[in-house]
Amino acid sequence: MKFSYKWLQEFLPIDISVDKFCDKLTMFGLEVEEITDLGKTLDKVVVGKITKVEAHPNADKLSICEVDVNEDSNLQVLCGAPNVAPDQLVPVAKVGATIQAQQIKSVKLRGEESHGMICSEKELDLSDNHDGIMVLDKSVEIGTPLAQALKIDDYMIEVEVTPNRPDLLGLIGITRECAAMLEKKYTSPTAKFQESPQLTSDLLSVDIKNSSLCSRYAARIVKNIKVKPSPPWLQRHLRSVGLRPINNIVDVTNYILMEQGHPIHAFDASKVEDNHIVVRTAKKGETIKLLDEKTYKLNPNNLVIADSKKPMALAGIMGGVQSSITEETTDIVLECACFNALNIRQSSQELKVASDSSYRFERIMDPNRIEEIIDRTAYLIQQTAGGEITKGIVDVFPHKKAEDKIQLRPDRVNRLLKTELEIETMINYLKRFEFQVSRQNDLLEITVPTFRPDITREVDLIEEISRAYGYNNLESNYQTKTIENTRKKKLQSTIRKFLVNQGFYEACNLSFSSPEKLDKLDISPTDKLRKVVELKNPLGEDFSILRTTLIPDLLQNVSHNLHQNFNNFKLFELNKTYFDFGNHTEEPIHLCGAITGDYFSSYWKEDQKSTDFFD
């Protein structure tokens, strides 16, 4: 996950250096992988004012510019851009600057010297615009470093996010963590806007065909928007996390993705047939052309967002070309939904198409935040593209997600962490992570917000307390364990060596077994071997219990070898078995052997004999 240090500071006041901040963040459990100084690429690039422009006497397409960069003397710079003019404020790369991997030097072109370079946006890697030089706002002071003038003297911080923390795939989640770490309050993004009288539900309907694959789908409509380039602040935010601006609508959806950590998509409303959205699985052989300009053949395992006639998007992965935003778009439908993580992952891998959206939906998104996210998106669309936001949200939410409640034992916290924390201190720590806490005598009942799917057990809460307390403050406790009985170890080693010397091969089978194997051995229902340990989440019926005997698996080993025409061999297994006696369990070690065919391996000195019962 990448985020901008300055962007973070818009929501949370931070008064420490970026290096110290990143050290604290790593020790708080959010490992910083890389810090990129965004302004470093613009080193020695400053704001200059063109004071004079003259035609080059020996080159038709070059101009001789005199540029004031607030130094002792003005610079003479040759420029070939068609839009160069006096009194412009422009970005000037001085001698020694590096532009597109080329160091700027003093040169002589057609008899005239040039001591720098006046740059375009593309040359500065700010956009793809190469029509002419970049012209800056006249309010900027001459000589100011360009990174500072454009407010990109910033740091991009990349942190490693584990799969169980999808809440950290957006800046808001990072902000919550940092607020807890620094014991400060943060400001939530605003989404206040005036709705038009027209009801969204009168303009659009939504139908979810399979609620197990889509737990919630919400839509809003913004009418009479104007698609155009995004304002500088929006472009700056996207560039600060490595994204290129496209247009105001697409840029807002990308901004929301990085800010909220939840994907959102915009459709051209005029391309939604019958004003009806259907969340369904694809029909056999159905195809869709996605925004990557490739056409994909779908199957009934793929979830799509469709209208009454065609699929418009591959759900949770990528939008389709047919319903995409163009310069002629005036009305848009905003989509914010929650999809089945496993289905998104399978479709992404099967079709070999991945995106920032699928990366997030492959984890568990929080359905309870959808309303605030779609409102925030509509607000930013209105701020950057104008338009009227219709009244209300079309919201289909078949499966409400309740907040989990977990009981926490304060004495267990101190026992596990080897601390002496007061209960009130623990409550304060947990509230910093936005958990709700109620005290019931010597127990704490913790209500876990739905954006934290990683918190499922008491020990998870103890880990949060340890993070807030500080890993460095925990004592190092070297736990000693009693070594297993050495006599037992030596005995097992002696048995193995003896059997190997007798020509046996050791087998090592899985501990998982099946009741069917005991049935084949005709084990009585009252026999001790029927006191099995049952697994809660078995891989299948064949692996539903832990073995009480080694015999069935060893017989399978024999059968397998005989089927491979290997008829003379000896096998043994020395391993654990498992018994459940109701009030306790036991794990005794058993020895089992099998011999088949000739007793001795073929050897000219030995008299061969067949194996019999007495062996």
Side-chain angles (χ1 to χ4, degrees), residues 16 49 92 200 237 259 278 309 375 429 466 496 549 582:
I16 56 178
K49 182 179 180 179
V92 180
T200 307
H237 279 81
E259 181 192 79
V278 185
K309 293 183 180 179
D375 281 352
Y429 286 160
S466 69
R496 286 189 169 93
T549 172

Side-chain angles (χ1 to χ4, degrees), residues 134-325:
M134 182 180 184
V135 180
L136 303 170
D137 189 281
K138 290 196 174 182
S139 62
V140 184
E141 188 176 339
I142 298 170
T144 305
L146 184 66
Q148 183 180 330
L150 298 179
K151 299 181 180 178
I152 55 176
D153 50 337
D154 194 2
Y155 295 91
M156 182 170 67
I157 301 170
E158 185 171 359
V159 293
E160 181 182 1
V161 177
T162 54
N164 67 335
R165 291 299 305 272
D167 59 303
L168 297 179
L169 294 175
L171 186 63
I172 291 303
I174 300 287
T175 303
R176 276 194 297 258
E177 286 285 293
C178 296
M181 176 182 75
L182 300 172
E183 297 186 66
K184 293 185 176 184
K185 290 186 177 181
Y186 67 92
T187 305
S188 297
T190 57
K192 294 180 180 179
F193 52 84
Q194 188 73 36
E195 293 178 313
S196 70
Q198 193 167 25
L199 292 173
T200 307
S201 56
D202 290 341
L203 301 172
L204 186 73
S205 61
V206 173
D207 185 16
I208 297 177
K209 294 295 185 183
N210 190 334
S211 60
S212 65
L213 299 182
C214 178
S215 59
R216 189 177 187 183
Y217 191 98
R220 256 197 182 281
I221 292 178
V222 186
K223 304 188 72 175
N224 300 319
I225 56 102
K226 183 173 178 57
V227 179
K228 58 184 178 181
S230 297
W233 69 265
L234 180 51
Q235 295 190 32
R236 184 174 68 249
H237 279 81
L238 293 180
R239 290 195 190 100
S240 72
V241 290
L243 297 178
R244 280 192 175 277
I246 298 172
N247 61 51
N248 49 356
I249 307 302
V250 176
D251 292 351
V252 165
T253 60
N254 285 334
Y255 179 94
I256 290 294
L257 177 78
M258 301 308 297
E259 181 192 79
Q260 300 291 334
H262 193 117
I264 194 158
H265 189 69
F267 299 107
D268 186 326
S270 67
K271 299 173 184 176
V272 180
E273 295 285 348
D274 299 326
N275 299 321
H276 183 53
I277 289 178
V278 185
V279 185
R280 60 169 173 83
T281 52
K283 299 170 185 175
K284 188 175 181 180
E286 199 167 30
T287 61
I288 184 172
K289 187 176 183 180
L290 298 181
L291 293 173
D292 61 1
E293 295 296 330
K294 295 179 183 178
T295 300
Y296 295 87
K297 187 176 181 179
L298 308 178
N299 63 61
N301 294 323
N302 307 136
L303 190 68
V304 297
I305 311 301
D307 57 24
S308 59
K309 293 183 180 179
K310 64 183 183 299
M312 300 188 295
L314 188 58
I317 300 177
M318 193 176 290
V321 170
Q322 281 186 297
S323 59
S324 62
I325 305 299

Side-chain angles (χ1 to χ4, degrees), residues 324-492:
S324 62
I325 305 299
T326 66
E327 291 182 358
E328 289 74 38
T329 300
T330 57
D331 299 344
I332 60 172
V333 177
L334 296 176
E335 162 203 278
C336 193
C338 264
F339 303 111
N340 181 282
L342 179 59
N343 178 266
I344 299 300
R345 187 179 304 117
Q346 288 173 338
S347 291
S348 178
Q349 291 175 352
E350 176 190 337
L351 299 172
K352 294 181 174 56
V353 53
S355 63
D356 287 335
S357 176
S358 64
Y359 181 79
R360 285 161 174 78
F361 278 122
E362 285 173 14
R363 287 135 182 89
I364 302 173
M365 293 285 100
D366 181 10
N368 291 346
R369 294 187 59 241
I370 279 180
E371 189 172 351
E372 63 180 274
I373 292 169
I374 201 169
D375 281 352
R376 170 72 171 162
T377 309
Y379 165 77
L380 290 177
I381 292 286
Q382 192 176 62
Q383 295 297 306
T384 58
E388 301 92 44
I389 302 169
T390 57
K391 191 172 184 178
I393 300 172
V394 176
D395 189 4
V396 182
F397 196 2
H399 301 301
K400 308 286 183 182
K401 186 174 181 181
E403 295 177 323
D404 292 331
K405 295 183 184 295
I406 302 173
Q407 288 193 328
L408 178 68
R409 297 165 288 176
D411 61 327
R412 173 67 174 158
V413 176
N414 284 323
R415 197 162 64 250
L416 196 62
L417 300 181
K418 301 293 189 293
T419 55
E420 296 180 358
L421 297 173
E422 298 288 338
I423 294 179
E424 289 303 320
T425 302
M426 296 181 194
I427 292 173
N428 177 53
Y429 286 160
L430 292 169
K431 285 184 174 180
R432 277 162 55 181
F433 291 105
E434 300 189 15
F435 299 122
Q436 295 178 25
V437 185
S438 64
R439 187 169 178 176
Q440 301 172 351
N441 299 323
D442 292 333
L443 283 177
L444 298 179
E445 185 176 79
I446 314 301
T447 302
V448 182
T450 51
F451 60 75
R452 288 297 302 271
D454 59 306
I455 306 295
T456 59
R457 303 170 297 166
E458 181 185 46
V459 70
D460 297 327
L461 295 169
I462 295 175
E463 183 182 2
E464 296 301 285
I465 291 173
S466 69
R467 289 206 299 142
Y469 179 66
Y471 290 139
N472 285 342
N473 297 323
L474 296 173
E475 292 184 16
S476 297
N477 294 291
Y478 297 95
Q479 297 185 358
T480 57
K481 291 186 177 181
T482 305
I483 298 175
E484 194 173 346
N485 189 312
T486 55
R487 182 175 174 276
K488 184 191 290 187
K489 283 282 187 184
K490 287 180 180 178
L491 177 59
Q492 291 179 37

